[in-house]
Short mmCIF file of all heavy atoms in Angstrom, two decimals:
data_model
loop_
_atom_site.label_atom_id
_atom_site.label_comp_id
_atom_site.label_asym_id
_atom_site.label_seq_id
_atom_site.Cartn_x
_atom_site.Cartn_y
_atom_site.Cartn_z
N TYR E 1 98.74 109.17 106.27
CA TYR E 1 99.33 107.87 105.79
C TYR E 1 98.87 107.62 104.36
O TYR E 1 99.69 107.33 103.46
CB TYR E 1 98.99 106.76 106.70
CG TYR E 1 99.44 105.42 106.06
CD1 TYR E 1 100.79 105.04 106.29
CD2 TYR E 1 98.59 104.55 105.41
CE1 TYR E 1 101.26 103.77 105.74
CE2 TYR E 1 99.03 103.32 104.86
CZ TYR E 1 100.29 102.99 105.10
OH TYR E 1 100.82 101.85 104.57
N TRP E 2 97.52 107.75 104.14
CA TRP E 2 96.99 107.41 102.76
C TRP E 2 97.35 108.52 101.72
O TRP E 2 97.78 108.28 100.69
CB TRP E 2 95.48 107.28 102.78
CG TRP E 2 95.09 106.26 103.88
CD1 TRP E 2 94.44 106.49 105.01
CD2 TRP E 2 95.37 104.87 103.81
NE1 TRP E 2 94.29 105.22 105.69
CE2 TRP E 2 94.91 104.31 104.96
CE3 TRP E 2 95.91 103.99 102.86
CZ2 TRP E 2 94.88 102.99 105.23
CZ3 TRP E 2 96.04 102.72 103.12
CH2 TRP E 2 95.53 102.17 104.27
N GLN E 3 97.38 109.75 102.22
CA GLN E 3 97.78 110.85 101.38
C GLN E 3 99.27 110.73 100.94
O GLN E 3 99.63 110.98 99.89
CB GLN E 3 97.48 112.22 102.03
CG GLN E 3 96.05 112.44 102.22
CD GLN E 3 95.71 113.55 103.10
OE1 GLN E 3 96.48 113.94 103.96
NE2 GLN E 3 94.44 114.16 103.03
N ASP E 4 100.07 110.30 101.93
CA ASP E 4 101.47 110.16 101.64
C ASP E 4 101.82 109.06 100.70
O ASP E 4 102.87 108.98 100.02
CB ASP E 4 102.24 109.84 102.96
CG ASP E 4 102.30 111.04 103.93
OD1 ASP E 4 102.02 112.09 103.47
OD2 ASP E 4 102.71 110.86 105.05
N HIS E 5 100.88 108.06 100.54
CA HIS E 5 101.09 106.94 99.57
C HIS E 5 100.33 107.14 98.27
O HIS E 5 100.37 106.25 97.46
CB HIS E 5 100.65 105.64 100.26
CG HIS E 5 101.63 105.19 101.31
ND1 HIS E 5 101.62 105.68 102.68
CD2 HIS E 5 102.66 104.33 101.31
CE1 HIS E 5 102.68 105.09 103.24
NE2 HIS E 5 103.26 104.30 102.37
N PHE E 6 99.63 108.27 98.14
CA PHE E 6 98.85 108.48 96.87
C PHE E 6 99.70 108.38 95.67
O PHE E 6 99.30 107.69 94.71
CB PHE E 6 98.17 109.91 97.04
CG PHE E 6 97.17 110.15 96.00
CD1 PHE E 6 95.87 109.70 96.16
CD2 PHE E 6 97.47 110.87 94.88
CE1 PHE E 6 94.88 109.99 95.19
CE2 PHE E 6 96.50 111.11 93.90
CZ PHE E 6 95.17 110.66 94.05
N ALA E 7 100.82 109.06 95.59
CA ALA E 7 101.68 109.04 94.36
C ALA E 7 102.18 107.68 94.09
O ALA E 7 102.17 107.25 92.91
CB ALA E 7 102.84 110.03 94.51
N GLU E 8 102.52 106.96 95.10
CA GLU E 8 102.99 105.58 94.91
C GLU E 8 101.91 104.60 94.26
O GLU E 8 102.18 103.92 93.40
CB GLU E 8 103.43 105.07 96.29
CG GLU E 8 103.93 103.58 96.32
CD GLU E 8 104.25 103.21 97.68
OE1 GLU E 8 104.70 103.98 98.52
OE2 GLU E 8 103.94 102.04 98.02
N VAL E 9 100.69 104.79 94.75
CA VAL E 9 99.58 104.02 94.28
C VAL E 9 99.27 104.42 92.84
O VAL E 9 98.96 103.63 92.05
CB VAL E 9 98.37 104.20 95.24
CG1 VAL E 9 97.13 103.59 94.61
CG2 VAL E 9 98.66 103.60 96.55
N LYS E 10 99.33 105.73 92.61
CA LYS E 10 99.14 106.28 91.23
C LYS E 10 100.04 105.59 90.23
O LYS E 10 99.67 105.37 89.10
CB LYS E 10 99.20 107.72 91.22
CG LYS E 10 98.76 108.37 89.91
CD LYS E 10 98.85 109.91 89.96
CE LYS E 10 98.35 110.55 88.67
NZ LYS E 10 98.26 112.00 88.74
N GLU E 11 101.26 105.40 90.60
CA GLU E 11 102.29 104.79 89.75
C GLU E 11 102.00 103.28 89.58
O GLU E 11 102.27 102.68 88.57
CB GLU E 11 103.62 105.01 90.26
CG GLU E 11 104.17 106.43 89.98
CD GLU E 11 105.68 106.58 90.42
OE1 GLU E 11 106.38 105.57 90.48
OE2 GLU E 11 106.01 107.71 90.73
N ALA E 12 101.58 102.61 90.70
CA ALA E 12 101.37 101.19 90.74
C ALA E 12 100.12 100.74 89.97
O ALA E 12 100.14 99.60 89.37
CB ALA E 12 101.42 100.68 92.18
N LEU E 13 99.09 101.45 90.05
CA LEU E 13 97.81 101.11 89.47
C LEU E 13 97.82 100.68 88.01
O LEU E 13 97.25 99.65 87.60
CB LEU E 13 96.72 102.11 89.66
CG LEU E 13 96.02 102.10 91.13
CD1 LEU E 13 95.20 103.32 91.33
CD2 LEU E 13 95.26 100.82 91.26
N PRO E 14 98.56 101.47 87.19
CA PRO E 14 98.61 101.01 85.79
C PRO E 14 99.35 99.72 85.52
O PRO E 14 99.10 99.11 84.50
CB PRO E 14 99.32 102.21 85.06
CG PRO E 14 99.10 103.41 86.03
CD PRO E 14 99.07 102.79 87.40
N LEU E 15 100.11 99.29 86.47
CA LEU E 15 100.82 98.03 86.36
C LEU E 15 100.07 96.80 86.94
O LEU E 15 100.40 95.67 86.73
CB LEU E 15 102.19 98.07 87.14
CG LEU E 15 103.00 99.29 86.63
CD1 LEU E 15 104.27 99.36 87.62
CD2 LEU E 15 103.40 99.15 85.23
N ALA E 16 98.95 97.13 87.72
CA ALA E 16 98.16 96.10 88.36
C ALA E 16 97.14 95.55 87.38
O ALA E 16 96.80 96.12 86.32
CB ALA E 16 97.45 96.69 89.53
N GLU E 17 96.64 94.32 87.75
CA GLU E 17 95.48 93.75 87.10
C GLU E 17 94.26 94.36 87.78
O GLU E 17 94.13 94.27 88.98
CB GLU E 17 95.53 92.24 87.22
CG GLU E 17 94.45 91.52 86.42
CD GLU E 17 94.62 90.00 86.49
OE1 GLU E 17 95.68 89.47 86.94
OE2 GLU E 17 93.73 89.35 86.03
N LEU E 18 93.36 94.97 87.02
CA LEU E 18 92.26 95.69 87.60
C LEU E 18 90.98 95.24 87.00
O LEU E 18 90.86 95.05 85.71
CB LEU E 18 92.36 97.23 87.31
CG LEU E 18 93.58 97.88 87.93
CD1 LEU E 18 93.66 99.35 87.38
CD2 LEU E 18 93.47 98.00 89.44
N TYR E 19 90.02 94.95 87.78
CA TYR E 19 88.60 94.83 87.46
C TYR E 19 87.74 95.94 88.10
O TYR E 19 88.03 96.26 89.26
CB TYR E 19 88.14 93.45 87.97
CG TYR E 19 88.71 92.28 87.19
CD1 TYR E 19 89.89 91.69 87.67
CD2 TYR E 19 88.10 91.73 86.08
CE1 TYR E 19 90.47 90.60 87.00
CE2 TYR E 19 88.64 90.61 85.49
CZ TYR E 19 89.81 90.04 85.90
OH TYR E 19 90.37 89.03 85.27
N ILE E 20 86.87 96.47 87.39
CA ILE E 20 86.08 97.58 87.88
C ILE E 20 84.60 97.20 87.75
O ILE E 20 84.14 96.44 87.01
CB ILE E 20 86.36 98.87 87.09
CG1 ILE E 20 86.06 98.75 85.65
CG2 ILE E 20 87.81 99.34 87.32
CD1 ILE E 20 85.97 100.07 84.91
N HIS E 21 83.84 97.88 88.64
CA HIS E 21 82.41 97.79 88.62
C HIS E 21 81.87 99.20 88.15
O HIS E 21 82.40 100.22 88.70
CB HIS E 21 81.80 97.54 89.93
CG HIS E 21 80.27 97.47 89.89
ND1 HIS E 21 79.52 98.63 90.15
CD2 HIS E 21 79.36 96.53 89.63
CE1 HIS E 21 78.24 98.28 90.06
NE2 HIS E 21 78.13 96.99 89.76
N ARG E 22 81.01 99.24 87.19
CA ARG E 22 80.53 100.50 86.72
C ARG E 22 78.91 100.55 86.94
O ARG E 22 78.33 99.58 86.78
CB ARG E 22 80.69 100.72 85.21
CG ARG E 22 82.06 101.00 84.83
CD ARG E 22 82.14 101.32 83.31
NE ARG E 22 83.45 101.30 82.74
CZ ARG E 22 84.23 102.33 82.65
NH1 ARG E 22 83.88 103.53 83.17
NH2 ARG E 22 85.43 102.22 82.15
N ASP E 23 78.54 101.76 87.25
CA ASP E 23 77.09 102.03 87.26
C ASP E 23 76.89 103.19 86.22
O ASP E 23 77.31 104.28 86.41
CB ASP E 23 76.63 102.54 88.63
CG ASP E 23 75.17 102.83 88.72
OD1 ASP E 23 74.44 102.35 87.85
OD2 ASP E 23 74.70 103.50 89.67
N LYS E 24 76.37 102.79 85.05
CA LYS E 24 76.32 103.61 83.95
C LYS E 24 77.83 103.95 83.46
O LYS E 24 78.50 103.02 83.18
CB LYS E 24 75.52 104.88 84.18
CG LYS E 24 74.08 104.50 84.49
CD LYS E 24 73.24 105.76 84.76
CE LYS E 24 71.76 105.34 84.91
NZ LYS E 24 71.37 105.26 86.28
N ASP E 25 78.22 105.20 83.50
CA ASP E 25 79.62 105.46 83.04
C ASP E 25 80.49 105.81 84.24
O ASP E 25 81.58 106.22 84.08
CB ASP E 25 79.57 106.76 82.15
CG ASP E 25 78.93 106.42 80.76
OD1 ASP E 25 79.02 105.20 80.42
OD2 ASP E 25 78.42 107.32 80.10
N LYS E 26 79.99 105.58 85.49
CA LYS E 26 80.77 105.90 86.64
C LYS E 26 81.38 104.63 87.23
O LYS E 26 80.73 103.68 87.52
CB LYS E 26 79.83 106.58 87.59
CG LYS E 26 80.40 106.87 88.92
CD LYS E 26 79.25 107.55 89.85
CE LYS E 26 79.83 107.83 91.20
NZ LYS E 26 78.87 108.37 92.06
N ILE E 27 82.67 104.66 87.57
CA ILE E 27 83.32 103.53 88.28
C ILE E 27 82.83 103.69 89.81
O ILE E 27 83.00 104.70 90.43
CB ILE E 27 84.88 103.66 88.19
CG1 ILE E 27 85.21 103.52 86.72
CG2 ILE E 27 85.44 102.58 89.00
CD1 ILE E 27 86.77 103.66 86.43
#
């Protein structure tokens, strides 16, 4: 299920509002 939605999420993420947590240079 998750693998089947991977491409859809890949397209949607750049359109989303995103906040990230980093540890050094790693998300």
Side-chain angles (χ1 to χ4, degrees):
Y1 173 82
W2 304 111
Q3 293 167 340
D4 291 346
H5 287 83
F6 189 84
E8 177 184 325
V9 172
K10 186 174 184 174
E11 285 184 25
L13 278 170
L15 305 175
E17 187 174 349
L18 297 169
Y19 290 88
I20 59 169
H21 178 270
R22 287 187 195 270
D23 182 17
K24 299 181 176 100
D25 290 335
K26 177 182 178 182
I27 297 175

